[in-house]
Amino acid sequence: MALPSPAFWSVPEDELLGALGTSARGLASGETAERLARCGYNELRAESRVSALALFFAQFRSSIVLILLFAAGLSFFLQDPTDALIIVAIVLASAGLGFWQERGAADAVQRLLATVRTRTTVMRDGRPVEVAARTIVPGDVVLLSAGDAIPGDCRILQSKDLYVVEATLTGETFPAEKAAGTLPAETPLARRASALFLGTHVASGAATAVVVHTGKSTEFGAISERLRLRPPETEFERGVRRFGYLLAEVTLLLVVGIFAINVYLERPVIEAFLFSLALAVGLTPQLLPAIISVNLAHGARRMAVRKVIVRRLSSIENLGSMDVLCSDKTGTLTEGLVRLHSAVALDGTPSERVLRFAYLNAFYESGFANPIDEAIRSYQKLDLAGYRKVDEVPYDFVRKRLSIMIAKDGTNLMVTKGAMLEVVAACDAAESADGSVSPIAAVRAEIDRHFHQLSAQGLRTLGVAYRAMGGQAHIGREDEVGMTFAGFLVLFDPPKAGIVETIAELRRLGVALKIITGDNRLLAETVGRQVGLAAPRVLTGPELRRMSDEAVRHALTEVDLVAEVEPNQKERIILALKKSGHVVGYLGDGINDASALHAADVGLSVEGAVDVAKEAADIVLLERSLDVIVSGVREGRTTFANTLKYVFMATSANFGNMFSMAGVSLFLPFLPLLPKQILLTNLLTDLPEMAIATDRVDTEWVERPRRWNIQFIRSFMIVFGALSSVFDFLTFGVLRLVLHATTEQFRTGWFVESVLSASLIVLVVRSRGSCFRTRPGGALLAATLLVGVVTLVLPVTPVARLMGFTVPPLTFLPALALIVVAYLVSAELTKRVFYARVRY
């Protein structure tokens, strides 16, 4: 296979197919495997699966850890090789722990993502089959219809009323018309009518096309390689970054100061340097990335059980922080099974003629499958003997009409159905129930009256019109003029059972629901009342168009419904809400929802959505229901709460212990702990935190949306870090002044107290309520108790001598136990006062 010139739109069709080694029947199955091996997967970037080796080395990204390893190497040659090896072993053990957790998280996420991959219909062995879009290769012949994402750079072989949205490449929001043909090589991108490009999608019509380029070889791939744009920072990622800055500031000031003072006191430089770096490791939440990965992956697995598939892990936290959810009504608030209520004439009486026109239009429609046509076809089977389809003008989001030309007895008739205002606008006459025809202006008031009456009953109303076309063989948009209005097509979609309670539950969770719909204002208001909005406040698309961005932001805070919305207004609504300080979710599954899904903090789609909607979404629902979203919100908040528990631990006992150690080192004639002992302390206190993802969460943490609150975390650090330091200095005083401990006894006693207090404090700070009433998860409790046992046993094992510990006198243990218990009780009492005064 020799790929054609880059300007494949200029190559004659036969020559192009020959160069690609394919035909209109597509490739053979065996050929695709060989091409896939040669060309690679159809992806702009390799699937984000990091190799085991790369993931392991990623555990050493911290500059502090790298400096520590370098210093340990220096110590190996200049001072004590045994200590240096122990330090390296502890650092490697910590890295191994993070690697093991992140590897398991990554595997779980990959298994979940495999369930919602985009698929494309291709010709294989002369038959249409559905395959994963990432397995498409050059030479594949693809079958495209409305809603499909273009799987690569393609050349059109056949098309029918094909319109493609190319905004990602050209910036043009309106669909571009496409058709087969050969164009000059110099044709600019926006005018290459016979070419389709990756990153775009079909708005209407259908096509058969041959794939020429895939993945990075595509036009879109070349642009993405040049730009390499980082995705917008999420609310959660912004919080992690700000928390990192806070710890970096504290760590830098403390470490530099301690190192300078120890050197001033003429202590060995290497020992002082290692001690300062070990303190930095103790202060730095090294496992935070692993904790976040584990929590998010665990949350993704729990959400999958509740039929919520997470495509981007960071969106879990954003789902928990979401305080505004924008959604269409069809299929979410309502059953989504549109049913035909009736077909009525101009005077509101049932009409067989209107029903037949609508049935003909729906029966012969070949574009994007939609529930309205299915409802018409299933309402009543009509005999269409003698009818033949001649041509079609597919539905699009500008005209909002669908026209079919049929032939019977040598006469061609165009039948159109669509949005009421758009159909009436194409008419200059109207037919009454008795068959008489009047000018449209004479009956316009009657049409409007029936339309408003039906809408006020919660019924959706479409218009039906016709026009005799004589012997005309083809129709286009320009023929939708001078038509005769035939009557109304009345549809209904009942609200879902239990939807009122579900919306009320969202409101209790602090999530405001805003309904965005293209339906008219009266219908939207009626549905709003049916789903529990007592007096729904409504804004319409035409009103939105006349308002400034500032006015839109103010208006959206007051309304529950935005009706008569045009597709390009959805993104404006999302952006306005975000600028008002909200974390916004958007639920959509249509062709025109992609930009809004991308703009939202959390884009939600459903498994049955069109490709472009699923690709743009962060989260895919396996069941279209607000109940599923309620479960997802709860899981998102649970995951966020468990992440914060690690932060609270790191900023309380760990921070207090390291600060105390730094302070007391200035007054003792020896270091309170050796560098290797500090690292071992840090490793042991981190072990229980790996089980936090499975911990229970208090009810108040899921009652309302929460975000990173750096001011609260700083206050928590100061209060509980200071409390920890008080008991640390009490421990120093008891060991030095009361028990008269030797250097090794002091370090052993301080190590035991430090690890026990830092491990057990998690059981206190994990909950706002009393630790005696809120039970921790089984895994967290077991891990904490295991660390406690290891800490108590370690001084009497052979490892103790290597680590610089000794067997403490029996009198030490009761004193240390009393200090730990007093610390935990004090922390419990302090917690009550703290949460009473400081709100998160």
Side-chain angles (χ1 to χ4, degrees), residues 70-268:
F70 172 77
L74 192 62
S75 176
F76 180 86
F77 290 105
L78 300 179
Q79 190 181 20
D80 187 347
T82 304
D83 281 6
L85 289 173
I86 291 172
I87 290 173
V88 171
I90 293 173
V91 171
L92 289 175
S94 180
L97 181 62
F99 163 76
W100 175 65
Q101 290 289 339
E102 290 198 60
R103 178 72 172 176
D107 288 343
V109 171
Q110 289 300 321
R111 287 193 295 270
L112 294 176
L113 286 178
T115 65
V116 291
R117 283 204 175 105
T118 305
R119 303 185 71 79
T120 300
T121 302
V122 303
M123 296 295 293
R124 294 274 170 90
D125 301 315
R127 301 190 313 274
V129 295
E130 198 176 68
V131 301
R134 67 192 294 263
T135 64
I136 295 289
V137 295
D140 261 325
V141 174
V142 295
L143 307 179
L144 303 168
S145 59
D148 287 347
I150 307 298
D153 285 359
C154 309
R155 173 73 175 272
I156 299 172
L157 302 178
Q158 296 177 4
S159 67
K160 174 63 177 173
D161 300 312
L162 182 65
Y163 281 78
V164 174
V165 177
E166 296 184 315
T168 50
L169 289 175
T170 66
E172 177 56 60
T173 56
F174 287 99
E177 188 169 8
K178 297 284 185 174
T182 302
L183 301 170
E186 64 274 11
T187 303
L189 178 65
R191 296 181 185 174
R192 294 171 192 166
S194 62
L196 304 174
F197 298 99
L198 182 71
T200 66
H201 66 272
V202 180
S204 61
T208 301
V210 61
V211 178
V212 182
H213 300 296
T214 58
K216 294 180 181 179
S217 300
T218 61
E219 191 79 28
F220 196 65
I223 293 173
S224 65
E225 283 296 303
R226 289 197 301 269
L227 297 181
R228 290 274 183 185
L229 292 178
R230 173 181 166 80
E233 188 177 46
T234 66
E235 175 68 27
F236 174 70
E237 290 167 339
R238 191 177 304 116
V240 172
R241 175 172 54 79
R242 292 170 60 207
F243 174 62
Y245 288 161
L246 172 65
L247 287 183
E249 291 170 7
V250 175
T251 302
L252 185 62
L253 289 173
L254 189 60
V255 169
V256 171
I258 293 302
F259 176 67
I261 293 172
N262 273 279
V263 171
Y264 176 76
L265 295 175
E266 298 182 350
R267 290 174 179 167

Side-chain angles (χ1 to χ4, degrees), residues 364-438:
Y364 288 115
E365 183 269 332
S366 60
F368 182 48
N370 65 83
I372 292 176
D373 288 333
E374 179 58 34
I376 296 169
R377 290 191 293 263
S378 61
Y379 179 73
Q380 182 179 330
K381 301 295 182 184
L382 299 181
D383 182 11
L384 299 185
Y387 286 100
R388 176 175 59 86
K389 178 180 175 180
V390 179
D391 203 2
E392 175 178 1
V393 183
Y395 179 89
D396 64 50
F397 301 105
V398 179
R399 294 163 39 251
K400 299 182 180 178
R401 297 186 293 255
L402 166 66
S403 294
I404 302 287
M405 185 161 70
I406 54 169
K408 186 181 183 184
D409 301 330
T411 302
N412 291 347
L413 183 74
M414 182 173 70
V415 178
T416 300
K417 77 173 189 306
M420 179 62 65
L421 294 179
E422 305 302 328
V423 170
V424 172
C427 297
D428 60 9
E431 184 179 275
S432 300
D434 58 6
S436 61
V437 177
S438 308

